[in-house]
Amino acid sequence: MSEILRVGVAGVGTVGAAVARLLKRQAKALASRTGRKIVVTAISARDAGKKRDADLSDVEFFADPVALASSNKIDLFVELIGGAEGAARKSVEVALAAGKPVVTANKALLAAHGLELAALAEKKHVALAFEASVAGGIPIVKTLREGLAGNSIDRVYGVLNGTCNYILSRMELERLSFEECLKEAQRLGYAEADPTFDIGGFDTAHKLAILTSLAFGVTIASEAIDIEGIERVTLADIEAAEELGFRIKLLGVAQRTADGVEQRVHPTMVRKTTSIAQAMGVLNAVTIDADAVRELTLVGPGAGGEATASAVVADIADIAKGVRSAPFGLPTATLEKLKRAPLRQHEGGYYIRLSVPDVPGAFAKIATRMAERGISLESIMQHSPPDQDGPPLGRPKAARRVEKKAKPGAAAVGVILITHATSEHLVREALDDILADGTIDAPAQVIRIERE
Amino acid sequence: MSEILRVGVAGVGTVGAAVARLLKRQAKALASRTGRKIVVTAISARDAGKKRDADLSDVEFFADPVALASSNKIDLFVELIGGAEGAARKSVEVALAAGKPVVTANKALLAAHGLELAALAEKKHVALAFEASVAGGIPIVKTLREGLAGNSIDRVYGVLNGTCNYILSRMELERLSFEECLKEAQRLGYAEADPTFDIGGFDTAHKLAILTSLAFGVTIASEAIDIEGIERVTLADIEAAEELGFRIKLLGVAQRTADGVEQRVHPTMVRKTTSIAQAMGVLNAVTIDADAVRELTLVGPGAGGEATASAVVADIADIAKGVRSAPFGLPTATLEKLKRAPLRQHEGGYYIRLSVPDVPGAFAKIATRMAERGISLESIMQHSPPDQDGPPLGRPKAARRVEKKAKPGAAAVGVILITHATSEHLVREALDDILADGTIDAPAQVIRIERE
């Protein structure tokens, strides 16, 4: 057995403490697997005296993570500080510059500076590993970078944010509103007091930018992502989805198209029978479409101290064994510049919910406007929003697939269209026409359908 | 870039040709990822002149795979001959002895001789890689060996045989009998003329033995597996499963218990809402329960030329990069000898279908015998087999959960029990009593329930 691998951990919260615990718990197996004894020898944290859920009594404490990063008392630096700038960025740069391999869970840092950091790691011939930065305990980075090395990847998409998935799952299972579920998630600690970063889709976007680079051999371009959050998803949408055999997930999707690479984050209809639809609650899931393997789906925990630590420790073990890959699979200098495919060119099916104040004749007017743009409809149906039917009783009401006459003085009713594959801009144009016609009394709810 | 990696492929059928195609198609990316140009320079196959679905015109032909294995014209040997003995075994031994890394898709060889071969590979400091041997294109070996290196694994289970999964899926989706679906599978080439190896569970057992070793750090013990095939699964079982919210899969399950390691292959009830239940048709799926990551599921293609080749090429790429792990994760000498847990000690829930000739009082008699063994029932219900109701009309009939009086002269009816977790031997003993009582007129159908 060669020498001890001395690990320094900066940021000792839930994940950092779990990393220390796992490295101790699995010490014997890891030494046997990697040929080296792996030991946390130093940490850095804001509060030296804080009680932590790990035995760190024999470990040197650094007040400054940057000092830890360059210390000759460690051989490998684990960055768990978080954030795209500040101490996180500085300490990772310093560690790499000092020729130390780095393991990080920091998606924001990678989304913003991943390429420079990867180039620095390559220049110094050390590893920069970040399995924990995307989808927590799911080994998706390894799968894309190594497991599918013989594939050309066409699309990668996933449920990448546990907060959003928890909220959407609760809405579906408990027939609660978005607002109620968000409050509950905040109470349980699954959502922040200011939940924008999660529910607005920004966290998913950071992770998606990393997956896109790994999957397609392109540069990280987190600014070239079309992002919609889940704030506008209503219980009416959730129920209509269920009736139609779909489930609504916040997906991050990266896809090669003739126009470049689409990167989009938005609420999405996925068929209930797909593997990705089974990821409920705080679970994450990622599906990869590739030429050789066709479709591969990984489902597992996207967050949590031990699950995230599992990914960190796997990276540490690879480094201990001497494995060195280019951080994004291909050497950074050879990554192609990502060409952004415009969202208006996106091709796919659409779920469209319209609020129609005056039903008679409305189906005809709507169908005509769609036909003018060459949009082919799979179905058009009336759907009563739940608040018109009193509280839901477990199962949603079956959709009525025949056109009904509006009762005199009735409130606006929901009309739901499912389109066959078409272009985003045609849908937007047709909906503008329908709004201008006065057929609908508010802008439409549009949710993209992701084909298997 | 360092020197070319010269690959020799023995056995050039569907998978071998796909490996050659993939290595060519991805030549540039693989060279960039691994730092080496990877080229198939030699092949061995039974028929030199056979037309193959790959351009092999510039490749040297060896009539004898063993001669190819030791040839100084290759740096890496790919074994795709198949079979636990003969040319497959001999050529792998010769290649390893000659200090050449080996990539194989041969589960039978590994199940029978994996430990000796791994020991030989370690002695010669070369890789023995076999991602393709289990679950085709799903990177389950890499996930267990590297991705979950920081975990202690409690259970691994999977749908590992596409033939069985195809048959069970067709039975469920088309309401066809086992025999009809088997014939169809044979016509489509998904099942062999003699299907015993697949439907009897033996193929699944080979794969399970490999997963068990990887997951638990124990020796391969394919002789210590309890195996039941799918031949006895009836449409009545499939329908009852559906009504109860389950789906029947042929699972290979390896589980740590207080008594040792359970390795079992049998038809299994899994909840329809689980990720593993979504693997339909020829798909495979594997779920891992581990201490840190909790539950991780991978779903993907278990067979097919390109999907299997994807796994072979990933192994080749790792070797090209210089990655070397012990074949089974831990050094072979340190693998613990597997202690077989007896199946009669298995703890779990059970689905039990009984054929009851005389219904009045039968529920009471059955429930009493179960209670005598301390078996707690979740439900007991009468279930009409489909042949008593005429051809099924898409949806199964709802189970009647109330006891009905038998019509005079009525045929035997099905009674279905679902037990809470109990011990296998208690179930067997209770059923022996019920049979001896004359309450049932044939041995019970027993299908184990696998908890999430």
Side-chain angles (χ1 to χ4, degrees), chain A residues 30-67:
Chain A
L30 286 167
S32 189
R33 281 178 187 279
T34 65
R36 294 181 76 172
K37 204 174 161 193
I38 303 171
V39 181
V40 176
T41 53
I43 61 167
S44 170
R46 226 170 287 169
D47 178 359
K50 193 178 161 193
K51 216 159 153 59
R52 294 192 167 85
D53 197 10
D55 175 14
L56 294 164
S57 51
D58 49 352
V59 159
E60 187 160 351
F61 183 85
F62 284 73
D64 176 9
V66 181

Side-chain angles (χ1 to χ4, degrees), chain A residues 218-258:
Chain A
V218 296
T219 52
I220 294 180
S222 45
E223 74 294 349
I225 303 181
D226 290 288
I227 305 175
E228 291 168 32
I230 62 167
E231 308 89 335
R232 290 187 59 234
V233 176
T234 68
L235 194 49
D237 298 319
I238 298 267
E239 296 199 344
E242 176 151 20
E243 288 167 25
L244 293 160
F246 290 100
R247 184 165 274 162
I248 300 178
K249 296 288 184 192
L250 182 76
L251 291 191
V253 185
Q255 184 171 12
R256 279 187 203 277
T257 76

